[in-house]
Amino acid sequence: MMLMTQPSHILRVSSITKLYPKAEVYSLKDVSFDVIRGEKLGIFGPNGAGKTTLISILCGILPETSGGVNYFIDNQSATFKDVLPKIGFVPQDFALYQELTAMQNLRYFGKMQGLKNEELESKIAHLLTILGLDHVGNRKLSTFSGGMKRRINLAIGLINDPEILFLDEPTVGVDVQSKVAIIALLNELNQKGTTMIYTSHHLREAEDFCDRTLLLDDGKIIAEGTLNDLLKQHNAESLEDLLIHLTGKALRD
């Protein structure tokens, strides 16, 4: 008889709430879910739903007000300090030094991750090549287009070969060529085992990219599952249709 393999968790979120100082409304309310090793989990919702706050807590950038996040290495519970070197984060806003070159930026962030010279230089050369930026590695980022900066932003998040990668709007504001290149690279990394937690307003892109979907509104999870299951459950035709169905048509700030 064949034994069924249990899914391997890389992260478990337990009843997280977040109330910012002086705020009257919670940004997150009793949010709980698991992340399976090797999956691509998409987190979606309207403006103000709590997506960026949630990702910032998972990355250790913000503290939760209550609840907690448990991390796992080789199916064993691990501290955030232990798992931090295995995390990559690609923020929506550029985390770049505009007066430094692409290579200087990557060297700086690589050294922050503890990479040594030979390993770091090899990694930089590889990332610049696969992202189509090897010919501009010595140019200052202030001369780069938005799409080129977005690709460098991604390269910084990948410099440490992360096991879990957080992506907050990784293709926002880029041309179609850059978007295709970024998504192709992310899919390749995922096939090699990188777990990804992703949020975007590009819902057509998200439909093809994500294995599983988590929908947030007003700081709470309102739906979770594979996109196909959620579409059938709510008689929706697309992720956009599903979001409108569950969150309404009212404009958000």
Side-chain angles (χ1 to χ4, degrees), residues 65-244:
T65 301
S66 63
V69 183
N70 295 320
Y71 303 88
F72 300 88
I73 298 175
D74 298 328
N75 293 329
Q76 300 295 318
S77 182
T79 66
F80 181 74
K81 182 179 179 181
D82 290 334
V83 82
L84 182 58
K86 302 176 183 292
I87 287 177
F89 178 47
V90 181
Q92 178 178 351
D93 296 325
F94 293 132
L96 308 169
Y97 291 97
Q98 300 285 344
E99 292 307 308
L100 297 181
T101 68
M103 294 184 72
Q104 287 170 335
N105 269 273
L106 289 168
R107 286 191 188 106
Y108 174 78
F109 287 103
K111 286 183 181 296
M112 284 184 62
Q113 294 282 2
L115 275 70
K116 304 303 180 184
N117 290 341
E118 186 174 341
E119 177 189 9
L120 178 56
E121 292 304 312
S122 175
K123 187 65 179 176
I124 289 171
H126 175 66
L127 287 170
L128 290 176
T129 298
I130 62 177
L131 288 169
L133 296 168
D134 48 317
H135 63 297
V136 292
N138 289 313
R139 275 176 47 185
K140 291 184 178 181
L141 294 194
S142 58
T143 69
F144 278 26
S145 68
M148 294 163 72
K149 290 178 182 177
R150 187 63 60 187
R151 281 179 274 161
I152 288 293
N153 206 43
L154 175 60
I156 289 169
L158 299 176
I159 195 71
N160 62 325
D161 287 323
E163 291 186 16
I164 181 168
L165 181 62
F166 295 90
L167 301 151
D168 191 3
E169 300 279 2
T171 62
V172 66
V174 304
D175 56 61
V176 65
Q177 289 84 2
S178 293
K179 184 182 298 185
V180 168
I182 288 171
I183 293 298
L185 175 58
L186 293 176
N187 278 321
E188 179 183 341
L189 293 172
N190 177 252
Q191 289 170 6
K192 294 177 179 178
T194 304
T195 305
M196 298 185 180
I197 299 178
Y198 159 98
T199 185
S200 176
H201 285 98
H202 294 295
L203 300 185
R204 298 287 185 185
E205 170 188 294
E207 287 180 342
D208 295 329
F209 184 70
C210 297
D211 302 321
R212 192 161 60 92
T213 300
L214 188 150
L215 303 184
L216 283 178
D217 194 23
D218 192 30
K220 297 177 290 187
I221 295 176
I222 58 172
E224 181 182 359
T226 67
L227 181 58
N228 285 338
D229 287 347
L230 292 176
L231 294 181
K232 291 177 182 177
Q233 180 182 344
H234 296 280
N235 194 28
E237 296 182 356
S238 66
L239 179 54
E240 180 178 317
D241 188 29
L242 178 66
L243 274 172
I244 292 295

